[in-house]
Amino acid sequence: MLHNRTALIRTFLYVLVWMGTLFMGQVGAQTEASLVAKLNSADSPLLKYEANIRLAQYWLRTDAPKAVPYAHEALAIAMTLKDRVKVVESALLSGELAEIQHKNAESTRYYTLAKDSLAAGQNDLALLTLDKLESLALARQDYKTAHTLIQERFAILQQKAKVASELEVQQQTEKLEKLVADKQKSKFLLPLSLLGTLLLALWYYFRRRRDRRTRGEMAEKNAMIEEKRRRSEQLLLNILPPAVAAELTVRNKVMARRYEHATVMFIDFVGFTKVAESMQPEELVNELDYCFSQFDAIVERARIEKIKTVGDAYICASGLTDRNEKPINMIRAAIAIQRFLHEYAQKRKAEGNKHFEARIGIHFGPVVAGVVGVKKFAYDIWGDTVNIAARLEEVCETGQINVSAAAMEIAKSEFDWEYRGKIAAKNKAEMDMYYVSEIK
């Protein structure tokens, strides 16, 4: 489907180039020699532009590399002339030549220049440029950019539909006004003219009334569709990282990826089962929801991805979809979470209520991330880094943050540390572990 659309766009571009050639006065085929002669004899920037663009068009289909310098020269002259139409024409031609030579980055740059140079109302050229940029973004797997380009194209199509509808109403109105004017000119058919005018007025009234009702219904339906689309996107963003959600929207699937510099944090409530037995189910769920909501707010401010909750355990990771690859922000978030739990516990104890305390384990290393399942799908992470973070949490003391040596080495200048020595974890050899207390 993508290949067919690309071929259609390329055909449209050739037609556009041909029409541009007719616009500049070229009638019939010209030889290379005559075109070069015109270029050599050109004595003004405008004539030099026309000669260069014609030579680039001449070589476009037969020998693209020969067309490149002429297209680039034409673009340079167009930018000097500050002629937006000529800038768009020569930029599109330069982008097409770069795409033919598989220079996608260069092609993207020229198509972006063409897009930025478009004047208001050039919707067909805008759609052509957006399609070219979208195809290149999909080719380099930049799904977030492709998603943005799709939304821009959808907005232009909506605008075109609105203009077409308004034009049709205007044409009908003009026909009616002309018909009424013709009837009024007839002196001998005045009664019939009045009757016809009345009938036409009634027809016009009911037609406009029906059109208003139809437009209102369409506007309501479009608003409902847009609201559903917005809610769907928001739901995806609540479940998945933005880049993953964009990829799922465009491709209907997500490729698993390996991240070499990820930081994983496990949080687990101490004695949760015993505390849960003394609380009503509604109170237990409300307390968990309140605590996890506070965790969500803290990790979101630190650009950390929440992965999932399993019972009373909370799992999150950083370094997956942005450049937040150092464990410093994760450790700061862990300190903020322990501080929140301590303050909230003091309040709950003062009220005579049960409270939660937590252990936290943090490790730094490679992970694999992806989406599993087709129903109730979930974004998850796998690898030994995840297992080690879980083991660090298991051997942590209540209210502490247990950090691996790998994470500590990167963040050691940012915090105060307490070396615990080498401690054995379940199914793991002895590892160096550190408690982190406060930010320096």
Side-chain angles (χ1 to χ4, degrees):
M1 181 177 179
L2 180 61
H3 175 74
N4 292 338
R5 188 171 66 181
T6 303
L8 181 61
I9 292 170
R10 184 166 295 167
T11 302
F12 185 82
L13 182 62
Y14 288 149
V15 172
L16 180 66
V17 171
W18 178 78
M19 292 178 66
T21 303
L22 290 181
F23 177 78
M24 293 186 296
Q26 182 179 7
V27 180
Q30 290 181 292
T31 65
E32 179 192 4
S34 64
L35 292 172
V36 172
K38 286 188 176 182
L39 175 60
N40 293 332
S41 62
D43 58 356
S44 70
L46 182 60
L47 292 176
K48 289 180 180 179
Y49 170 83
E50 293 178 354
N52 276 287
I53 202 73
R54 289 178 186 177
L55 278 164
Q57 293 162 357
Y58 176 87
W59 289 112
L60 175 63
R61 294 191 183 183
T62 57
D63 194 348
K66 288 186 178 181
V68 170
Y70 297 113
H72 290 179
E73 181 63 19
L75 177 58
I77 295 172
M79 296 182 71
T80 302
L81 293 172
K82 297 182 180 180
D83 188 323
R84 298 175 71 175
V85 174
K86 288 180 171 56
V87 169
V88 172
E89 180 184 31
S90 53
L92 284 173
L93 183 56
S94 297
E96 177 69 12
L97 289 167
E99 191 173 358
I100 290 172
Q101 299 177 81
H102 306 290
K103 298 179 180 179
N104 290 347
E106 184 178 345
S107 181
T108 300
R109 179 165 58 84
Y110 285 121
Y111 289 143
T112 302
L113 174 61
K115 175 176 172 289
D116 295 340
S117 303
L118 287 168
Q122 294 180 289
N123 291 331
D124 290 333
L125 281 176
L127 289 172
L128 170 65
T129 307
L130 288 170
D131 275 331
K132 300 292 287 183
L133 288 171
E134 179 193 340
S135 299
L136 292 170
L138 290 173
R140 64 176 182 270
Q141 298 185 346
D142 186 357
Y143 303 110
K144 185 175 182 180
T145 300
H147 182 62
T148 302
L149 293 168
I150 289 172
Q151 289 181 319
E152 290 183 29
R153 189 178 63 197
F154 179 72
I156 293 174
L157 290 173
Q158 281 188 320
Q159 180 65 24
K160 287 189 66 177
K162 178 181 177 182
V163 171
S165 176
E166 292 174 351
L167 180 61
E168 181 182 0
V169 171
Q170 181 182 355
Q171 290 174 345
Q172 293 293 338
T173 303
E174 291 173 354
K175 288 181 181 179
L176 178 61
E177 290 173 350
K178 184 177 183 301
L179 187 58
V180 171
D182 291 340
K183 289 293 183 181
Q184 289 176 343
K185 291 179 182 179
S186 176
K187 297 180 180 180
F188 302 102
L189 301 175
L190 182 59
L192 183 61
S193 174
L194 291 173
L195 178 61
T197 302
L198 177 62
L199 291 175
L200 286 171
L202 289 172
W203 172 83
Y204 177 71
Y205 168 76
F206 287 111
R207 174 66 181 270
R208 289 297 300 271
R209 184 177 177 181
R210 186 189 68 183
D211 288 345
R212 284 195 300 268
R213 184 171 63 251
T214 301
R215 286 196 298 271
E217 291 173 354
M218 289 297 297
E220 185 177 351
K221 289 179 180 178
N222 287 337
M224 290 174 62
I225 292 171
E226 180 62 23
E227 178 63 19
K228 289 180 179 179
R229 184 190 65 79
R230 188 190 64 79
R231 289 182 180 178
S232 175
E233 288 186 352
Q234 188 59 47
L235 179 60
L236 276 179
L237 291 174
N238 286 339
I239 299 173
L240 305 173
V244 176
E247 182 179 355
L248 185 64
T249 302
V250 174
R251 300 184 59 191
N252 294 323
K253 62 179 181 179
V254 177
M255 298 293 293
R257 287 182 172 81
R258 178 181 175 89
Y259 300 93
E260 297 295 338
H261 306 102
T263 307
V264 180
M265 176 166 67
F266 266 74
I267 307 172
D268 189 53
F269 289 128
V270 180
F272 176 79
T273 303
K274 185 176 180 180
V275 175
E277 289 174 352
S278 62
M279 300 175 69
Q280 293 297 322
E282 294 82 1
E283 182 185 6
L284 175 65
V285 172
N286 288 337
E287 284 301 302
L288 277 176
D289 177 65
Y290 177 71
C291 290
F292 284 167
S293 296
Q294 295 299 314
F295 295 178
D296 288 345
I298 291 170
V299 302
E300 184 177 0
R301 286 195 298 268
R303 303 198 336 268
I304 297 168
E305 292 293 340
K306 174 184 177 182
I307 303 301
K308 60 183 175 182
T309 59
V310 182
D312 61 316
Y314 186 100
I315 307 167
C316 58
S318 62
L320 301 182
T321 57
D322 63 6
R323 309 324 304 168
N324 189 17
E325 294 183 338
K326 293 185 178 181
I328 295 172
N329 284 345
M330 184 69 81
I331 297 172
R332 287 177 177 168
I335 293 173
I337 287 171
Q338 287 290 27
R339 185 179 295 121
F340 155 73
L341 288 175
H342 176 73
E343 294 172 356
Y344 188 55
Q346 297 302 316
K347 177 183 176 183
R348 293 280 294 176
K349 283 193 289 187
E351 296 170 351
N353 296 319
K354 299 289 184 181
H355 63 277
F356 294 132
E357 294 179 299
R359 300 186 300 257
I360 298 179
I362 297 175
H363 183 52
F364 174 79
V367 300
V368 173
V371 174
V372 293
V374 293
K375 291 185 177 180
K376 297 183 179 180
F377 54 84
Y379 184 71
D380 209 345
I381 56 176
W382 303 272
D384 201 44
T385 299
V386 181
N387 299 330
I388 292 175
R391 300 295 179 262
L392 288 166
E393 175 270 315
E394 290 174 357
V395 297
C396 181
E397 296 176 357
T398 302
Q400 295 288 352
I401 303 167
N402 196 21
V403 181
S404 69
M408 190 281 297
E409 283 297 324
I410 298 175
K412 62 183 178 181
S413 63
E414 301 288 331
F415 306 94
D416 291 327
W417 302 93
E418 177 188 339
Y419 179 53
R420 302 184 63 196
K422 291 185 177 293
I423 298 177
K426 183 180 178 182
N427 299 327
K428 297 291 179 184
E430 289 187 344
M431 296 183 294
D432 289 319
M433 300 183 188
Y434 298 82
Y435 281 151
V436 60
S437 52
E438 287 295 334
I439 300 172
K440 283 187 178 179

